[in-house]
Amino acid sequence: MIDHIIGRPNPSWKRAQVFLVLFFWTWRIVKAKEGPPRILWLPRINRKLRSLDFLPSYWLEELMWLHLLERFSPWQLILSTLTAVYALRNLDKIFGLDAPEPLRNLYTPDYFRATWIVTGLDAGFATAMTIRPKWFRDVCSLLFAVYYILFPSAADEKLRRFRAVPTVEVLRATWNKTSHPLIRLIQRVPKMSIRRKILLPRPKGSSYERPVTAYIFFAPPEGQLKEATELILDFPGGGFVAMSPEHHEERLRYWALSSGRPVLSIDYGKAPEYPYPFAIDEALDVYRLLVESAGRIIGMSGQKLSVVVTGDSAGGTLAVNLVIKLLEIKNGVTKIRGVESLPMPTGVVLTYAALDFNFASWMSANHLRILRTEQSSNNIPGMREFAERKDHLHHVSPLSMVPDRRPKKRVKRRSSWKEKLRGFASGGEESSRPSAPQIFRTNTDDGMLADAESEDDEFEGYEEEDKPIEARVKYKYDTAKPSGSILRTHSALERKQEEMAVALKEADTKAIQAFGGKGKRAEPIGTRLTMSSRVGYFQDRIISPSMMRAMAILYIGPHRNPDFATDYHISPILTPDYLLAQFPPLMIQCGEKDPFVDDNVIFAGRVREAKRARKIELELALSGKSARFGEDLRPEDIDVRSVKGVTSVEEMKKERDRLTSESEYDWVQLVLLADWSHGYLQMPTLLPRAKAVIDDLAEWIDRTFSKYREMPSANGLAPGDDGIVSEAEASDSAITLVSKRRESSGSDSAAKKGSSTSSGMGTPKTESSRIAGHTITEVELVRRRRLQDSHLFD
């Protein structure tokens, strides 16, 4: 545990810990001649063992080691035995033969210490999740967590076994731990004048009836809410299956306090009960409701409204999908009855968002077709059992590859007097049948794998945690109706990939010229064997590969068979360029060692490239060949249909002027925190420097609101009047890093806010400033990420 306290796991520290333990207990053995310490009943037990009065006399004659009791006390003998056993179990560490530590230099010491506490808590809560009643489970959870914090190796092994075949209950028990009443007592959260759980109705024309649950946080006096015109709309993370705004309350309260604005966090429907795209549609319905009422629905002024949308992890996926849905409505791709267009958010904040579900291990549609054909042929021994293992939703755990066991206890349903009479009338045949359902067996005779549906009545007598995933789904979609997703042909996809490959090569060439300079050796591009961040950081202590796959299966659910190579609603990283070019200002933040860091870096780069290309496209469409002579085309000569997403020349000019007046730092800012991974926004109590990161995001939200005071129209944002970075000062790199500017938090942040905003929104500094004690330069970022990502579009 010494290496965990220091924050640098190292075989040398483990060896030093073993020697310290042996030295301490050896010293205690030498000093224990008089007996054990006077704790509880230990002295009485020692005297009893020394007298041996409880043993028969003929046993005493046969004992050969009685002479040891004359020289050593029983307490010394017990301590000696246990110490010898400990030494034997750690012989490899004593002789320096221990295995190398893979996490030795992966994280910063403070982040590793935080993950050590989180791992111990997760192991304790997972161990106690089956204990009943709840109050006893809460007590045992903390007791087990203390044990696993003291013995981190046991915690890692315990959690590894739970995560190998994670169930919904395991994911929720370990991630929802911050709602534990005793843990909430130690959290230092600011007080709010309004902290309220509310229910929001669905807007008119929505295909859903389930009300939306939300939490509102407001720090100023309650009466000032009626005057508020700016709102932070948050979608909390949780892997699509767990966690509500209550589990993100520290961050939400800090934002409400530092910004002075209301924060509305959505408790969207979680999988597997409400699978994709339920949460995405819920986010759109909430946004429609807020815009149509101008915030009056939650007690705001109702006169005008500006919204900044935020989301972390899975919530970041929903935030991006919300913007995509708004752009699709604007461009006529998606039709909603009674809605022609909706204004765009003022800005979007994404924190370690999961933007790519293509884990490179999903079976393609063609492979599934062949597998179903082989299954239906019934001429291959063992094919039926093999196909059953592929039906992930027919198991309690989505990653289980073995049949589920019969539950030990079943809920008995009381029979009514009508059933008893019916049983007597039928000769007792009905009453002799068991009331609980039989053990579940997968039926794959029809050749269906992930699309097979189970009958809910078959599991009526089971506890919720004993049901297979498919039986837990509460919202079921009509598969006969079109899903609303956009069909894209392979030829169109290939053309798009070719265009992106050309753009990527141009960006790499510019980056090499910008950072390498003429006459310098170009950096290596990498090979096709370059690992993605999900593979490179597969030993992450917060998110494991098995958890990611389980969450993806639960989120997609039984009603979809998506094409992971084209469906950009599931993988927003695949969003077409013409939609990315119309995105509002983006702030993307992620840990450099996060398994999702590639998603964030590539998405930020694609937004930059799309906006560059969009600006050139609009300039060419408006100027044409006469641009070389400094002349503009007449409006009647401009082909509006040549540019997607616009319907008039005025819209084209407005969007071109906006893109020209803004810099690339106004389009998207990417911040990577070196040697940090996932989930740091939920660790301000365990990771004090995370508070500075939360304050930095709040400052970006403040600058965005001050730059764009009114809600942007559906046709784009109006250029701001305050000072911004000129286009000539902006870097041409497709992937950039904005250095942090502050390292203070709390009361100091308010004092420095005025001076920090004077440089304009997103103005980069030349000096290497540090907010959380660690940042990486732009040159280092390009070098690291190009080696990983350049092969994707070769």
Side-chain angles (χ1 to χ4, degrees):
M1 193 175 69
I2 294 179
D3 53 343
H4 291 77
I5 296 176
I6 296 174
R8 285 294 186 192
N10 193 325
S12 300
W13 287 115
K14 295 180 183 294
R15 186 183 184 186
Q17 176 179 324
V18 172
F19 279 117
L20 287 176
V21 172
L22 293 177
F23 174 79
F24 173 79
W25 287 111
T26 302
W27 172 73
R28 289 300 305 166
I29 291 171
V30 174
K31 295 293 184 179
K33 181 64 177 177
E34 296 79 9
R38 299 181 180 278
I39 300 176
L40 299 178
W41 55 84
L42 289 180
R44 184 183 303 175
I45 295 177
N46 182 68
R47 290 193 299 269
K48 195 74 173 178
L49 291 175
R50 192 159 195 171
S51 62
L52 298 179
D53 294 337
F54 59 93
L55 293 178
S57 58
Y58 59 88
W59 280 24
L60 298 176
E61 296 177 359
E62 300 293 334
L63 293 178
M64 304 297 297
W65 45 270
L66 288 178
H67 64 283
L68 294 177
L69 295 177
E70 299 177 358
R71 299 183 55 187
F72 306 102
S73 65
W75 175 249
Q76 287 179 305
L77 295 177
I78 293 174
L79 288 184
S80 301
T81 304
L82 295 177
T83 304
V85 171
Y86 177 80
L88 291 174
R89 293 186 59 183
N90 294 276
L91 278 179
D92 55 344
K93 297 180 179 65
I94 294 175
F95 292 104
L97 304 176
D98 198 12
E101 178 54 61
L103 303 178
R104 178 175 181 178
N105 298 315
L106 187 61
Y107 305 125
T108 58
D110 55 351
Y111 183 84
F112 182 80
R113 281 192 293 266
T115 61
W116 159 47
I117 304 296
V118 171
T119 301
L121 290 172
D122 288 349
F125 277 71
T127 303
M129 68 179 182
T130 58
I131 297 178
R132 300 291 186 273
K134 183 181 182 303
W135 67 267
F136 189 50
R137 179 172 68 250
D138 291 341
V139 174
C140 292
S141 297
L142 290 185
L143 293 178
F144 294 156
V146 171
Y147 168 79
Y148 285 117
I149 291 174
L150 296 177
F151 298 95
S153 298
D156 292 336
E157 178 63 19
K158 171 72 75 169
L159 211 55
R160 181 190 65 82
R161 295 186 179 184
F162 273 111
R163 288 177 175 175
V165 190
T167 62
V168 179
E169 280 64 39
V170 169
L171 296 175
R172 290 175 177 173
T174 55
W175 285 12
N176 293 346
K177 57 183 176 293
T178 51
S179 61
H180 191 283
L182 296 181
I183 292 181
R184 292 180 68 89
L185 289 178
I186 65 175
Q187 293 179 344
R188 299 178 179 178
V189 294
K191 294 183 180 180
M192 299 282 106
S193 62
I194 299 178
R195 188 270 186 196
R196 187 179 302 149
K197 178 181 179 180
I198 59 177
L199 295 178
L200 301 176
R202 295 285 184 160
K204 295 181 179 180
S206 176
S207 57
Y208 302 90
E209 297 180 356
R210 178 179 183 266
V212 180
T213 305
Y215 289 76
I216 184 170
F217 301 89
F218 190 62
E222 187 172 355
Q224 296 184 15
L225 181 61
K226 299 179 181 180
E227 304 173 359
T229 59
E230 297 171 345
L231 173 69
I232 300 175
L233 178 60
D234 179 73
F235 297 96
F240 305 102
V241 299
M243 302 177 73
S244 70
E246 290 184 298
H247 305 100
H248 297 256
E249 196 160 333
E250 286 182 280
R251 167 175 58 89
L252 299 175
R253 283 175 177 258
Y254 283 134
W255 280 356
L257 179 65
S258 60
S259 67
R261 300 177 178 88
V263 178
L264 184 69
S265 188
I266 308 303
D267 187 8
Y268 50 87
K270 305 299 189 300
E273 291 82 5
Y274 300 97
Y276 168 86
F278 189 92
I280 297 176
D281 295 338
E282 198 169 18
L284 180 61
D285 284 350
V286 170
Y287 190 82
R288 278 185 57 196
L289 199 66
L290 292 171
V291 170
E292 292 172 357
S293 66
R296 190 181 297 107
I297 191 69
I298 60 173
M300 297 178 65
S301 66
Q303 300 175 359
K304 58 181 181 179
L305 180 67
S306 296
V307 178
V308 167
V309 179
T310 66
D312 64 296
S313 193
T317 308
L318 300 182
V320 175
N321 267 285
L322 171 60
V323 178
I324 292 174
K325 287 285 188 180
L326 296 175
L327 292 173
E328 287 180 341
I329 295 173
K330 169 193 169 184
N331 292 275
V333 178
T334 300
K335 299 292 185 181
I336 297 180
R337 185 172 56 185
V339 178
E340 296 183 359
S341 64
L342 290 170
M344 297 296 295
T346 305
V348 179
V349 177
L350 306 178
T351 311
Y352 40 78
L355 302 175
D356 188 6
F357 278 75
N358 188 14
F359 295 164
S361 64
W362 307 112
M363 296 191 70
S364 63
N366 187 44
H367 291 172
L368 278 175
R369 177 186 58 80
I370 296 174
L371 185 59
R372 288 166 178 160
T373 303
E374 292 295 303
Q375 177 193 1
S376 301
S377 61
N378 294 324
N379 58 358
I380 302 178
M383 187 64 193
R384 176 187 176 90
E385 291 75 12
F386 171 76
E388 288 178 355
R389 299 190 187 101
K390 299 294 184 183
D391 201 351
H392 303 290
L393 296 175
H394 280 182
H395 296 279
V396 174
S397 170
L399 299 186
S400 177
M401 301 300 289
V402 296
D404 296 330
R405 298 180 60 184
R406 180 194 297 266
K408 295 181 179 180
K409 295 182 179 180
R410 295 175 178 175
V411 179
K412 295 183 179 181
R413 185 173 59 88
R414 295 182 179 180
S415 58
S416 63
W417 63 271
K418 293 182 180 180
E419 293 177 346
K420 292 182 179 180
L421 291 178
R422 190 182 300 113
F424 287 121
S426 59
E429 294 179 1
E430 295 291 335
S431 60
S432 62
R433 296 180 182 178
S435 59
Q438 300 296 322
I439 186 171
F440 177 75
R441 298 187 183 277
T442 308
N443 182 15
T444 55
D445 293 338
D446 57 353
M448 300 298 290
L449 294 176
D451 297 330
E453 294 187 359
S454 61
E455 297 292 338
D456 293 341
D457 296 340
E458 191 174 358
F459 305 99
E460 183 180 357
Y462 282 101
E463 294 284 354
E464 191 70 13
E465 60 269 17
D466 295 329
K467 294 180 181 180
I469 300 300
E470 195 170 22
R472 300 181 63 168
V473 176
K474 294 181 180 179
Y475 192 90
K476 297 186 177 181
Y477 296 88
D478 187 0
T479 56
K481 297 181 180 180
S483 61
S485 60
I486 304 172
L487 299 178
R488 290 170 288 277
T489 62
H490 287 285
S491 58
L493 178 63
E494 292 174 358
R495 289 196 302 270
K496 183 61 63 178
Q497 292 292 312
E498 292 176 358
E499 294 174 1
M500 291 176 59
V502 174
L504 183 65
K505 290 181 180 179
E506 293 177 356
D508 286 342
T509 302
K510 292 180 180 179
I512 293 174
Q513 292 175 354
F515 297 106
K518 294 183 179 180
K520 295 184 180 181
R521 182 180 178 183
E523 291 189 55
I525 297 300
T527 67
R528 292 184 181 273
L529 299 180
T530 301
M531 293 187 299
S532 66
S533 58
R534 284 184 175 86
V535 178
Y537 305 127
F538 70 97
Q539 297 187 93
D540 187 75
R541 294 175 62 83
I542 303 298
I543 295 184
S544 64
S546 60
M547 294 173 64
M548 287 189 286
R549 299 185 190 280
M551 290 182 292
I553 293 173
L554 295 171
Y555 171 59
I556 295 171
H559 309 298
R560 297 289 186 274
N561 188 16
D563 184 356
F564 290 98
T566 59
D567 195 333
Y568 58 79
H569 289 292
I570 290 181
S571 297
I573 200 172
L574 304 173
T575 305
D577 289 343
Y578 81 96
L579 294 179
L580 292 177
Q582 304 172 64
F583 259 63
L586 275 171
M587 160 60 82
I588 301 179
Q589 189 183 86
C590 188
E592 191 219 356
K593 302 299 177 63
D594 195 303
F596 298 137
V597 63
D598 281 0
D599 300 9
N600 293 264
V601 172
I602 295 175
F603 188 77
R606 287 206 58 210
V607 171
R608 291 184 189 276
E609 291 182 356
K611 287 182 178 289
R612 292 189 195 123
R614 181 77 169 185
K615 183 170 65 174
I616 296 174
E617 182 183 18
L618 291 171
E619 290 176 349
L620 292 177
L622 291 171
S623 302
K625 296 181 179 179
S626 61
R628 68 184 66 179
F629 303 107
E631 301 175 358
D632 289 339
L633 291 177
R634 292 176 297 179
E636 58 269 15
D637 296 333
I638 298 175
D639 185 9
V640 179
R641 294 174 298 178
S642 63
V643 180
K644 290 184 177 181
V646 294
T647 58
S648 65
V649 178
E650 288 74 15
E651 290 184 14
M652 295 175 64
K653 290 183 178 180
K654 187 176 182 180
E655 187 175 356
R656 180 198 61 179
D657 295 340
R658 176 177 59 83
L659 291 174
T660 302
S661 64
E662 294 175 344
S663 70
E664 294 189 2
Y665 285 96
D666 295 311
W667 296 343
V668 56
Q669 296 182 31
L670 174 65
V671 177
L672 297 186
L673 301 179
D675 300 329
W676 279 15
S677 182
H678 201 81
Y680 52 81
L681 289 186
Q682 290 183 274
M683 302 179 183
T685 301
L686 302 177
L687 187 62
R689 287 191 292 177
K691 175 62 169 57
V693 178
I694 295 175
D695 288 342
D696 187 71
L697 293 176
E699 183 181 327
W700 186 91
I701 294 174
D702 288 338
R703 293 198 307 270
T704 303
F705 275 126
S706 62
K707 184 176 177 63
Y708 307 102
R709 280 298 178 187
E710 296 182 358
M711 175 73 79
S713 65
N715 298 325
L717 295 170
D721 297 329
D722 54 346
I724 59 174
V725 181
S726 64
E727 184 180 358
E729 296 173 347
S731 172
D732 289 333
S733 172
I735 303 174
T736 60
L737 172 72
V738 179
S739 298
K740 300 281 189 173
R741 296 186 305 281
R742 298 180 295 107
E743 59 182 62
S744 61
S745 60
S747 59
D748 295 337
S749 62
K752 295 184 179 181
K753 186 176 294 185
S755 61
S756 63
T757 55
S758 61
S759 60
M761 189 179 96
T763 306
K765 286 192 174 183
T766 55
E767 63 268 16
S768 177
S769 53
R770 302 162 70 85
I771 179 174
H774 57 285
T775 54
I776 56 178
T777 63
E778 189 169 344
V779 178
E780 177 66 13
L781 170 63
V782 171
R783 186 186 70 81
R784 296 184 187 187
R785 302 319 307 159
R786 191 186 302 132
L787 291 177
Q788 290 191 352
D789 304 331
S790 59
H791 71 283
L792 296 178
F793 302 109
D794 284 349

